[in-house]
Amino acid sequence: MSDKTVVSTKTSVDTKTESREDGATVKTITTTTVEEYSDGSSSTKTSIKTITEGASINQIDPKTGKPTGKAYNPSEAKKSAPRVKVTTDKDFLKQALNAHNDYRKKHHVPALVLSDDLCQVAQAWADKIAAEDKMQHSENGYGENVHWCSGKVDNGKAPVDHWYSEAKDYKFVGDLDYQRGTGHFTQVVWKDTKELGIAKAEGKKGGTYVVANYNPSGNFIGKFTENVLKAK
């Protein structure tokens, strides 16, 4: 009797990419090879390779949805982010938290909890941009929404309503991904986010700046389908 020989070989490769909270991208490559032999038998061999690419995040311009060319390490940024005493009144904080959780409930995702540490981070950035009278995002490693109003903002629900209003432009079709002009909305309802920090500060010209920070951050490419759920 002659030894069995390989009559066919089929190889398939499956690649999955995951973005970790620290900014690293983890690729898991699974290679499966099936060999069929002359006697009708077969064998399957599977190999798994994991590749972790740098713990840095490429910044996305919230207006264009395109990378800005800047990158930073979120773990280091979180540790070094400035923190100051929260001067925003507690009613405002509670109103903002409740508004977030009312919207999150509509989208079937868990409620957020208010973080004292994140509020200190948000207050530091709100104070800075108010002093400069300039709308801009920080690089503090957390998720972030920023709002400006020409007058006073007395109710914490108002900026959240503004961010959520982008929901009307978000298309729940196919494999969901970042959609231009909707990043504030998707961060408000991002399923995996657990903590909120929010604060406000008045600018030199009378306007009000509101900053919200989120942990873990939302708006990771490749994670929208599982984190941005359609409202009831």
Side-chain angles (χ1 to χ4, degrees):
M1 180 180 292
S2 60
D3 294 335
K4 62 182 180 180
T5 59
V6 177
V7 295
S8 69
T9 301
K10 297 180 180 179
T11 300
S12 61
V13 179
D14 178 59
T15 301
K16 294 183 178 180
T17 303
E18 178 182 3
S19 297
R20 295 194 326 216
E21 182 185 344
D22 66 359
T25 298
V26 180
K27 290 184 179 180
T28 303
I29 304 173
T30 303
T31 302
T32 304
T33 301
V34 179
E35 292 184 338
E36 296 184 351
Y37 303 107
S38 55
D39 65 355
S41 62
S42 64
S43 67
T44 301
K45 297 179 181 179
T46 301
S47 64
I48 300 176
K49 183 178 181 181
T50 301
I51 301 173
T52 302
E53 299 177 344
S56 63
I57 290 179
N58 288 318
Q59 280 194 293
I60 299 296
D61 187 320
K63 293 183 179 180
T64 66
K66 298 180 180 179
T68 62
K70 297 180 180 179
Y72 66 96
N73 183 303
S75 295
E76 294 178 0
K78 289 178 180 179
K79 293 178 182 178
S80 60
R83 290 161 169 82
V84 299
K85 181 180 179 181
V86 178
T87 55
T88 304
D89 62 274
K90 292 183 179 180
D91 284 344
F92 183 93
L93 303 181
K94 184 176 181 180
Q95 291 158 357
L97 176 66
N98 289 342
H100 273 86
N101 287 337
D102 286 344
Y103 284 129
R104 291 175 67 84
K105 184 176 181 180
K106 288 179 60 177
H107 289 263
H108 321 281
V109 298
L112 301 178
V113 296
L114 196 66
S115 162
D116 292 338
D117 182 63
L118 274 184
C119 285
Q120 292 173 20
V121 173
Q123 188 71 65
W125 190 250
D127 289 349
K128 176 178 172 58
I129 59 178
E132 298 176 356
D133 259 324
K134 183 179 180 181
M135 274 280 288
Q136 56 184 326
H137 282 274
S138 69
E139 296 179 2
N140 62 22
Y142 297 104
E144 188 170 76
N145 281 344
V146 180
H147 172 72
W148 177 83
C149 177
S150 59
K152 290 187 177 183
V153 181
D154 294 323
N155 193 311
K157 184 176 183 296
V160 185
D161 289 345
H162 176 77
W163 295 325
Y164 184 83
S165 67
E166 296 174 349
K168 66 182 184 303
D169 299 317
Y170 195 78
K171 305 297 188 295
F172 288 89
V173 293
D175 292 328
L176 302 182
D177 210 335
Y178 182 89
Q179 298 176 30
R180 181 177 176 180
T182 62
H184 299 98
F185 153 67
T186 51
Q187 176 59 91
V188 168
V189 300
W190 194 264
K191 181 179 179 181
D192 284 349
T193 297
K194 296 178 174 59
E195 296 179 313
L196 168 72
I198 192 164
K200 64 175 180 174
E202 292 187 13
K204 293 181 293 185
K205 298 179 181 179
T208 303
Y209 293 83
V210 181
V211 175
N213 285 124
Y214 305 84
N215 187 45
S217 174
N219 292 345
F220 277 107
I221 299 300
K223 293 292 185 179
F224 281 76
T225 299
E226 62 197 75
N227 281 284
V228 184
L229 309 183
K230 196 171 184 178
K232 295 181 181 178

